[in-house]
Amino acid sequence: MSTTTVAPRRRLSQTTLVALLLLASAAGQHWLRPLVRSDSFQTWCTMFVAVVVQSTPFLVGGVLLSAAISRFLSEPLLRRVIPRNPVLAVPVAGIAGLGLPGCECAAVPVSEGLMRRGLPPAAALTFLLAAPAINPGVIVSTAVAFPNNHMMVVARVAASLVTAVLVGWWCVARGDRLGMVRRAAVHDHDRGFLDGALHDFLHAGGFLVIGAMTAAAVNTFVPRTWLDGVAGQAVLGVLVLALFAFIAALCSESDAFVAASLTAFSDVARLTFLVVGPAMDIKLAAMESGQFGTRFARQFVPVVVCVAIGTAVVAGKVLL
Amino acid sequence: MKPTTQGLVAAVLGAVVLRLALTDEYLHYVQAWMKVPLVLAGLALLGMGIRPALGRTPLEGRVPRTSWLLLLPTLIVFAVAPPPLGAFIAERRAPQAPSTLKAPTIRPVSDGGRPLDLAVEEFVWGAAQTDDPMSLHDRTVRLRGFVSADKAGHWYITALVIYCCAADVAVERVKVADGPSAPPRDSWVSATGTLVDGTGTDADIPATLAVTDVVEIPTPENPYS
């Protein structure tokens, strides 16, 4: 990694060295490009940059919104809208998820910003789970992808909302045992608006890159044919699509189209794919462990995945 | 990471995003409607990063080591300049489950004796309908796409459909019936021909075109549909 190349030198500052490295890669592209002609590596690069490019506007929007919440949303106002009791605040926060159009990457910094303003962590996490899954953009794209099956949209929204609320209540019950790391001290009120946003962006962005690297590798190298072998089996089909949703880390606005193309699978399995993906995937898991600490993530990630699978199966049996 | 480096990393990423959006290179990665969000995000990152990068605002607060990874997309764009996805992913993904194409909003109709210009995915959709709503039988069509192949040595006119970004790509392809030899893999062609009867309705028998004429064409600006 670049740290090793820049750490030990003394005469040139770290910033100058990074600038020189970037200039060298730009100036040397003529010689570098023939070295990387491998098809699979180039495909990975395209997919990796694609995920980063697609996510950047949402992440930038998220950190700016988070900075705006920190600065302009007063605690008394938040108290009036959200019930003081966390058990009641959780469902309110879940329904509020309808209002943030954007995908997962925006939701992580926004929920952190809401916590900084005194929203109970459980409610902020509920919002984090609900917003990418039930916002208007996702509802529209799911309806377009399943034109003859409107119950899929209803089941997706219902199962995602229930998942978010159940996990929120679980967080209320766990309380301090969640072991959430909060970086509240860094964000004092005197800091500039843009400086706070920059800090949040760098913090979340590195983890986003880790998630993008993994997702690009999965989408490049894992052949889709291995999915077909288990499509006919009810239980295994559900579990495999849940795993696929986790590792492929598709945007919640586009995953419905991929689900629609997995025609060999049962509707319940495809609903599971749509409920697990926005709630938890490898990109979100990386970002959340960066934001809230690994001890928290080790509990939160598996609980979210299990609750999402359970809710999706129940919703699928009842509604589809 | 030093405060000035933090600013530099953000500002450089902003500049790269802005350059991708303004040079239309962003079309290798995402859909066309992303242009405005990318320009705004690029400007915002430049705005956040430039003053700290020049040492004008002293930043406090440390960022985790993982933030260094934000240099990776920039280095890859500079050093690798990833090409649009093409035959490699199409051949890897091709034997996947049948596509669920939507009906075209406008059904193109032919105009006198000229061949009917269709997108690959429109042709595949039309060929899959048993009642032949686009009356493709015995009609000359012209398809544009890039060349991919299969292990048996057949070649295909291929289109890649993306819904959000290039990571969720889906493959649509039309097999070329025995006849003209394959142009170079990944080259773009315009092929004129007619649908081979009995192909395209079954997932095991891909839509096949009996090609009378193949012309190589330049790679289009937007490589996906």
Side-chain angles (χ1 to χ4, degrees):
Chain A
M1 218 174 76
S2 24
T3 21
T4 50
T5 56
V6 288
R9 299 287 297 271
R10 260 206 214 139
R11 278 208 206 125
L12 289 172
S13 77
Q14 184 192 58
T15 312
T16 316
L17 278 168
V18 171
L20 287 175
L21 171 74
L22 290 168
L23 282 176
S25 74
Q29 52 181 250
H30 192 67
W31 294 277
L32 288 169
R33 279 180 198 174
L35 301 178
V36 289
R37 277 285 152 79
S38 143
D39 265 346
S40 54
F41 179 66
Q42 285 188 334
T43 300
W44 178 83
C45 286
T46 306
M47 287 197 175
F48 165 65
V49 176
V51 176
V52 174
V53 166
Q54 174 73 30
S55 311
T56 299
F58 291 102
L59 184 57
V60 170
V63 297
L64 289 173
L65 184 57
S66 171
I69 288 170
S70 296
R71 171 145 304 191
F72 302 113
L73 184 66
S74 71
E75 269 166 62
L77 178 67
L78 198 65
R79 288 270 152 77
R80 235 177 299 153
V81 183
I82 304 272
R84 195 176 289 250
N85 183 344
V87 177
L88 298 176
V90 160
V92 175
I95 290 165
L98 274 166
L100 180 74
C103 50
E104 296 90 319
C105 317
V108 176
V110 169
S111 64
E112 162 74 16
L114 287 169
M115 277 186 225
R116 256 180 252 151
R117 286 283 81 175
L119 190 69
L125 293 169
T126 306
F127 179 79
L128 165 65
L129 293 173
I134 63 169
N135 72 64
V138 173
I139 292 174
V140 169
S141 73
T142 311
V144 172
F146 289 91
N148 306 317
N149 193 354
H150 291 306
M151 283 316 281
M152 190 60 104
V153 183
V154 177
R156 176 177 200 175
V157 171
S160 295
L161 193 55
V162 170
T163 302
V165 171
L166 287 179
V167 173
W169 281 335
W170 172 80
C171 292
V172 174
R174 287 291 286 176
D176 288 339
R177 283 173 297 164
L178 270 176
M180 186 183 270
V181 178
R182 299 289 310 285
R183 296 178 294 120
V186 186
H187 294 274
D188 45 81
H189 294 279
D190 306 330
R191 287 185 76 186
F193 182 85
L194 286 177
D195 296 346
L198 173 66
H199 183 269
D200 283 357
F201 178 81
L202 292 171
H203 202 105
F207 293 96
L208 169 71
V209 170
I210 295 178
M213 290 162 73
T214 324
V218 168
N219 287 308
T220 306
F221 299 111
V222 178
R224 291 272 168 94
T225 35
W226 65 262
L227 289 175
D228 298 340
V230 295
Q233 305 180 41
V235 177
L236 207 54
V238 166
L239 295 179
V240 164
L241 281 200
L243 176 69
F244 182 50
F246 184 81
I247 59 177
L250 300 170
C251 256
S252 59
E253 322 238 322
S254 71
D255 58 2
F257 295 97
V258 176
S261 75
L262 298 168
T263 44
F265 285 86
S266 67
D267 278 355
V268 175
R270 294 197 281 174
L271 177 64
T272 310
F273 178 81
L274 293 178
V275 175
V276 171
M280 187 55 68
D281 60 38
I282 200 147
K283 193 171 67 181
L284 276 169
M287 288 173 84
E288 284 160 7
S289 68
Q291 197 87 23
F292 307 121
T294 38
R295 195 179 141 220
F296 165 78
R298 273 206 300 272
Q299 304 171 58
F300 187 68
V301 172
V303 165
V304 171
V305 172
C306 294
V307 172
I309 293 175
T311 321
V313 169
V314 172
K317 293 284 181 212
V318 175
L319 293 172
L320 293 179
Chain B
M1 201 185 274
K2 296 246 169 64
T4 45
T5 315
Q6 295 180 19
L8 180 71
V9 168
V12 167
L13 185 64
V16 167
V17 167
L18 200 57
R19 199 196 74 162
L20 289 177
L22 296 178
T23 58
D24 289 344
E25 207 181 320
Y26 77 106
L27 291 170
H28 293 194
Y29 308 111
V30 292
Q31 287 199 333
W33 65 266
M34 282 293 289
K35 182 164 191 156
V36 174
L38 285 172
V39 169
L40 294 176
L43 290 174
L45 283 173
L46 274 171
M48 284 181 216
I50 209 133
R51 284 172 54 85
L54 299 174
R56 298 275 167 77
T57 35
L59 291 178
E60 313 125 42
R62 296 164 53 80
V63 294
R65 289 219 172 143
T66 44
S67 302
W68 284 103
L69 287 171
L70 281 168
L71 287 172
L72 192 61
T74 304
L75 289 173
I76 285 181
V77 168
F78 281 164
V80 182
L85 298 178
F88 173 79
I89 197 76
E91 288 157 14
R92 258 189 107 79
R93 288 280 178 84
Q96 70 189 4
S99 58
T100 49
L101 290 168
K102 296 194 301 284
T105 36
I106 303 164
R107 293 227 179 102
V109 285
S110 79
D111 152 28
R114 290 224 309 267
L116 177 63
D117 278 310
L118 287 180
V120 169
E121 62 274 17
E122 287 171 336
F123 183 78
V124 171
W125 181 86
Q129 313 304 312
T130 38
D131 56 346
D132 194 19
M134 288 163 79
S135 31
L136 288 175
H137 290 281
D138 303 322
R139 179 183 289 183
T140 310
V141 296
R142 190 163 58 192
L143 306 179
R144 284 177 359 135
F146 63 86
V147 175
S148 65
D150 65 15
K151 286 192 184 111
H154 296 107
W155 65 281
Y156 295 79
I157 304 156
T158 322
L160 296 175
V161 182
I162 66 171
Y163 300 108
C164 195
C165 77
D168 60 39
V169 66
V171 180
E172 298 298 338
R173 59 181 193 168
V174 172
K175 190 174 176 179
V176 175
D178 296 335
S181 58
R185 202 164 157 265
D186 264 328
S187 61
W188 279 75
V189 294
S190 165
T192 313
T194 48
L195 175 67
V196 175
D197 277 342
T199 64
T201 44
D202 190 319
D204 296 330
I205 309 165
T208 307
L209 192 71
V211 172
T212 51
D213 184 37
V214 187
V215 188
E216 283 192 45
I217 55 171
T219 306
E221 200 147 84
N222 187 348
Y224 309 116
S225 25

